[in-house]
Amino acid sequence: MVYDTAIHRVAGEIARIQEQYGRDAFAVLSGASLTTEKSYLMGKFAHMCLRTANIDYNGRLCMVSAAAASKKAFGIDRGGNPFSDIIGTDVVWISGANIGECHPITSDYVWQAREHGAKIIVVDPRVTPIARTCDLFMPIKPGRDVLLFKGILHLMIANDWLDHDFIEQHTTGFEQVAEDAREWTPARTAEATGIAEKAIRQAAEWWGTAKTSFLMHARGIEHHTHGVQNVLGAINLVLASGRIGRPNCGYSTITGQGNGQGGREHGQKCDQLPGGRDLANPEHRAYIAGVWGMEPEELPQPGADAYEIFREIDRGNIKGLLSICFNPLVSLPDNSYVREQLEKLEFYVTIDFFLSETGRYADVILPGSLHEEDEGTVTQAEGRVIKWNKAIDCPGDARQDWIIIQDIAEALGRPEGFRFQSPREIFDELRVASAGGIADYSGITYEKIEAQYGVFWPCYSEDHPGTPRLFEPGSWNPVAQGRGPFYFPDGRARFNVPVYTPPAEEPDEEYPLYLTTGRVVSQYLSGAQTRRIGPLVDQYPEPRIELHPSLAEKLGIADGDWATAESRRGSVTLRASVVRTIRPDTIFIPYHWPDRSSVNQLTISAQDPISRIPEYKVCAVRLAKADIDVVAVA
Ligand SMILES: Nc1nc2c(c(=O)[nH]1)N[C@H]1C(S)=C(S)[C@@H](COP(=O)(O)OP(=O)(O)OC[C@H]3O[C@@H](n4cnc5c(=O)[nH]c(N)nc54)[C@H](O)[C@@H]3O)O[C@H]1N2
Ligand SMILES: Nc1nc2c(c(=O)[nH]1)N[C@H]1C(S)=C(S)[C@@H](COP(=O)(O)OP(=O)(O)OC[C@H]3O[C@@H](n4cnc5c(=O)[nH]c(N)nc54)[C@H](O)[C@@H]3O)O[C@H]1N2
Ligand SMILES: [Mo]
């Protein structure tokens, strides 16, 4: 059978490459749209079966800045509240999230909040759909959010809009943060962020004097070389207000992919083991090695992140790659570089239900499964574990992803630990592996998920109901042992002084404009799944360059004209869309398209030093009207 031949070829190449060049020469790239069971299996497959250090996942491009900041500030990486807490809150603050186009369910909660009289504050370089109906819009210059947060904290302190009791009892580090905010006067903040001083004062007053509030952000503040610092700045506003861990008082990053939360908890990150454990921590290694029936020394050490894996291919250290649920040729920045590296691989196998653009470079493509063809759990932005049930069978030779992985393990002659008969069996092992970790799923069962319409982790035992709202006063957690609601030994949250560093590349004479990138409503991620759906393609058939009328006039570009945007890494020629909804110093291009239409030919591969997220949201470009003949032959 073709399938068996393919599996044996894959196993043969993995064995050959690992024998010839060492275990770490074979890398794995996984994805956060996979169910939690599959994410867990991918981490186990890399760390236990292949024993390679080099596994990472596409969440590296997505939520890692928020995750790292939450761990630093709260000791745990999970949104604090069920989103029902948004309804009835006084103020909703949304930074760098186009919720109208990207987060329809979140939008519904925000609309309900507005019905109840909430004030909505939006910070974005573009007037997105939610910004059109908000109470206060702040059109920030890309890459300056941390400075805005400092400026707001400055005004909260100056006006004594602080919760002194909360700060005193439940936090550490406020003095240093207050000292740091001192220099961020409204005038200086306005100058640095490009936002009017009046708007900054208004935002601070609404936020400062609210009785209840909810702060949210997404990739707009996270896709930066100082993405973690931006998020720390946001969290400082929440902690200073004391409005967290109570009804209608909360904070959350808004997750991206289908399983953005669950996919980042159980060991497919380059430095992670299941249960949110650390691969570098000896106790954590010993526990997981025990669950998997191996020696802790046999577990690899932390490996390369998703982009670094391509640099390692370039350096000749990685020779083989297996990817699942990831289309890096479209989604990674500076993707001409990525293409060169794919060409260098001795062997590349991908598991996908479609032939993605990256898949064109594969030696073998194994037909995996759609969500509808399998069962398993995913975890929402709120921290609620829910279950997908199987609706249809895989067609033809396609197999469920977890079966394919187990078939490879078997063909490698290392089936121990990969003999699961169902996703439920994988989940039951994951419960044991996560027990005692921060992301503790030990008390969650498929039955309980059905019965309770989802279970919020942490959930410590079968008779524990789960934890819908984190950080409630008086709540217990295993790290603090009753000393306080946050997940540090003293039970206190941490204020962190956020450090501002400018974007890796700022506009200059040669490349005078900011380029920022993101999404449109009708396309999804790398577009692999949505560019083949006619009605969606009709809505937005090709990427367009959004630019302000004043910039368009200066450059002699009319709406619908072809224009070329060029950075130090590449250029792209697309139609212009002249809109009043963007800063005049900034252009926006959505990223869902491949090849010559891909904006990731222009983006920069600079990464946040802590989270390793790429700086998708800022680089420097120049723009000119395109010579139509050039387009015709391009
Ligand atoms: N329809 C649709 N929905 C999706 C997706 C999709 O592809 N299509 N993708 C899903 C995934 S994986 C994710 S991660 C989420 C992403 O959800 P979002 O983060 O909401 O979407 P983005 O378009 O990446 O960026 C959000 C906004 O950030 C703004 N922005 C750019 N630079 C800055 C800055 O420096 N500061 C601030 N404050 N804002 C800035 C952009 O103008 C943009 O409006 O959406 C999810 N939902
Ligand atoms: N310029 C720019 N680039 C960006 C961003 C940006 O804002 N600007 N955003 C970044 C963000 S936030 C993200 S999340 C990434 C996303 O980037 P990717 O993760 O590369 O995008 P996807 O389109 O989700 O690619 C997933 C691939 O896996 C397949 N797939 C999906 N689900 C499954 C499954 O269950 N099983 C199997 N076997 N295959 C599956 C799909 O068919 C597709 O080919 O892009 C990043 N890139
Ligand atoms: Mo994402």
Side-chain angles (χ1 to χ4, degrees):
M1 236 174 90
V2 183
Y3 176 82
D4 294 328
T5 312
I7 292 286
H8 280 95
R9 165 113 193 268
V10 172
E13 286 295 309
I14 294 174
R16 178 187 69 76
I17 287 171
Q18 290 199 310
E19 212 161 287
Q20 202 170 332
Y21 305 105
R23 289 200 188 94
D24 294 343
F26 199 90
V28 176
L29 284 173
S30 191
S33 292
L34 295 174
T35 59
T36 305
E37 287 81 351
K38 295 182 200 174
S39 308
Y40 169 80
L41 192 74
M42 290 311 298
K44 185 180 183 188
F45 175 71
H47 288 134
M48 180 186 170
C49 182
L50 303 186
R51 287 175 58 191
T52 174
N54 294 318
I55 172 169
D56 205 34
Y57 79 132
N58 61 6
R60 185 69 50 202
L61 324 179
C62 191
M63 287 144 315
V64 285
S65 295
S70 277
K71 271 179 88 172
K72 274 179 175 296
F74 306 127
I76 185 171
D77 164 24
R78 201 208 97 177
N81 305 62
F83 277 10
S84 52
D85 271 342
I86 297 170
I87 308 165
T89 197
D90 287 351
V91 173
V92 181
W93 182 304
I94 302 168
S95 272
N98 177 2
I99 66 165
E101 292 191 75
C102 301
H103 312 283
I105 295 171
T106 310
S107 298
D108 186 57
Y109 283 106
V110 172
W111 284 336
Q112 290 190 61
R114 197 176 49 195
E115 298 285 301
H116 286 78
K119 293 231 161 32
I120 315 291
I121 301 172
V122 175
V123 189
D124 199 299
R126 301 186 306 139
V127 186
T128 60
I130 188 69
R132 274 180 228 146
T133 60
C134 74
D135 298 278
L136 180 63
F137 174 62
M138 291 189 273
I140 197 162
K141 202 186 275 187
R144 270 59 182 178
D145 291 82
V146 63
L147 303 179
L148 175 63
F149 294 129
K150 287 176 195 248
I152 300 289
L153 187 66
H154 176 101
L155 286 166
M156 288 172 75
I157 296 168
N159 293 285
D160 199 21
W161 291 323
L162 302 167
D163 185 338
H164 293 284
D165 291 345
F166 180 88
I167 294 170
E168 174 74 21
Q169 286 166 28
H170 295 304
T171 69
T172 65
F174 180 68
E175 291 72 26
Q176 291 87 320
V177 164
E179 178 61 35
D180 172 69
R182 188 179 309 221
E183 58 181 300
W184 289 95
T185 58
R188 192 166 168 215
T189 308
E191 163 78 35
T193 59
I195 302 169
E197 192 177 322
K198 200 173 158 207
I200 295 169
R201 288 184 184 277
Q202 181 66 81
E205 187 186 331
W206 283 348
W207 179 262
T209 59
K211 296 267 176 301
T212 56
S213 60
F214 207 104
L215 190 149
M216 286 183 282
H217 53 78
R219 308 302 88 74
I221 74 165
E222 301 165 24
H223 277 161
H224 295 276
T225 45
H226 58 278
V228 176
Q229 308 301 324
N230 282 341
V231 178
L232 290 173
I235 292 173
N236 286 344
L237 296 194
V238 176
L239 292 176
S241 76
R243 292 189 298 264
I244 189 164
R246 288 187 277 129
N248 300 134
C249 293
Y251 160 79
S252 184
T253 182
I254 312 170
T255 47
Q257 300 123 314
N259 190 21
Q261 179 69 46
R264 70 175 191 256
E265 295 167 354
H266 297 291
Q268 59 176 350
K269 291 173 82 166
C270 61
D271 56 355
Q272 195 195 46
L273 287 170
R277 288 185 166 87
D278 295 329
L279 192 48
N281 179 317
E283 280 172 38
H284 294 186
R285 295 168 66 84
Y287 180 77
I288 295 300
V291 175
W292 290 349
M294 61 193 287
E295 296 302 319
E297 307 76 67
E298 292 172 334
L299 280 172
Q301 291 296 329
D305 66 73
Y307 207 88
E308 197 61 26
I309 282 179
F310 287 90
R311 297 196 187 100
E312 285 287 296
I313 297 170
D314 195 13
R315 292 180 198 118
N317 296 330
I318 291 177
K319 304 283 189 185
L321 177 68
L322 178 150
S323 75
I324 178 168
C325 197
F326 199 160
N327 189 9
L329 184 56
V330 180
S331 56
L332 284 177
D334 189 7
N335 59 12
S336 318
Y337 180 78
V338 174
R339 187 187 304 274
E340 282 168 31
Q341 308 326 315
L342 286 168
E343 281 168 353
K344 285 185 198 152
L345 283 169
E346 288 187 13
F347 182 74
Y348 171 42
V349 50
T350 185
I351 306 174
D352 205 312
F353 41 73
F354 288 138
L355 174 54
S356 73
E357 288 71 22
T358 317
R360 293 184 207 144
Y361 290 79
D363 298 282
V364 175
I365 299 166
L366 296 168
S369 52
L370 295 166
H371 303 158
E372 295 81 352
E373 293 163 353
D374 203 355
E375 67 171 350
T377 62
V378 296
T379 304
Q380 294 168 301
E382 305 169 290
R384 188 201 322 244
V385 181
I386 58 169
K387 184 156 175 280
W388 292 342
N389 292 318
K390 180 168 175 260
I392 42 167
D393 292 323
C394 301
D397 257 0
R399 300 278 194 286
Q400 281 140 347
D401 295 321
W402 58 274
I403 293 182
I404 297 177
I405 292 299
Q406 299 202 130
D407 286 345
I408 298 173
E410 163 116 40
L412 277 165
R414 293 173 227 156
E416 308 79 32
F418 298 90
R419 291 198 173 104
F420 298 107
Q421 296 297 311
S422 62
R424 175 192 285 268
E425 283 188 11
I426 304 177
F427 189 76
D428 283 338
E429 184 178 291
L430 179 157
R431 291 173 56 199
V432 177
S434 75
I438 292 278
D440 192 327
Y441 279 46
S442 55
I444 306 178
T445 63
Y446 276 12
E447 285 69 27
K448 194 153 143 184
I449 294 171
E450 293 282 340
Q452 291 186 197
Y453 294 104
V455 181
F456 290 81
W457 69 263
C459 180
Y460 303 110
S461 62
E462 285 195 24
D463 55 8
H464 186 276
T467 315
R469 190 182 295 116
L470 292 175
F471 319 133
E472 289 193 291
S475 63
W476 183 92
N477 71 65
V479 186
Q481 296 280 339
R483 283 178 284 266
F486 295 96
Y487 287 65
F488 290 107
D490 61 5
R492 289 165 179 265
R494 268 60 176 154
F495 280 99
N496 290 272
V497 177
V499 181
Y500 171 70
T501 45
E505 191 180 64
E506 289 271 50
D508 55 18
E509 266 178 29
E510 248 186 302
Y511 298 92
L513 297 168
Y514 290 104
L515 166 69
T516 194
T517 65
R519 297 161 161 76
V520 294
V521 65
S522 59
Q523 294 294 322
Y524 188 60
L525 303 170
S526 75
Q529 294 171 79
T530 41
R531 275 183 278 111
R532 48 188 91 229
I533 300 175
L536 296 182
V537 174
D538 291 346
Q539 272 188 47
Y540 208 105
E542 58 190 11
R544 287 182 170 235
I545 303 174
E546 275 184 23
L547 74 161
H548 191 269
S550 66
L551 178 63
E553 198 191 324
K554 202 167 92 190
L555 299 174
I557 297 172
D559 190 61
D561 278 355
W562 291 96
T564 301
E566 191 180 348
S567 79
R568 289 186 174 80
R569 293 153 295 279
S571 73
V572 65
T573 299
L574 304 167
R575 279 188 200 278
S577 181
V578 180
V579 293
R580 295 187 178 281
T581 48
I582 187 165
R583 291 179 59 89
D585 57 4
T586 303
I587 64 169
F588 172 85
I589 306 176
Y591 88 100
H592 314 281
W593 288 267
D595 307 325
R596 279 180 297 149
S597 305
S598 171
V599 72
N600 277 328
Q601 298 173 101
L602 275 55
T603 48
I604 190 163
S605 63
Q607 290 164 280
D608 182 296
I610 299 171
S611 71
R612 311 296 296 159
I613 207 167
E615 191 150 66
Y616 291 117
K617 292 294 188 264
V618 197
C619 72
V621 291
R622 57 182 171 225
L623 184 66
K625 189 172 168 173
D627 184 339
I628 195 70
D629 295 339
V630 175
V631 178
V633 297

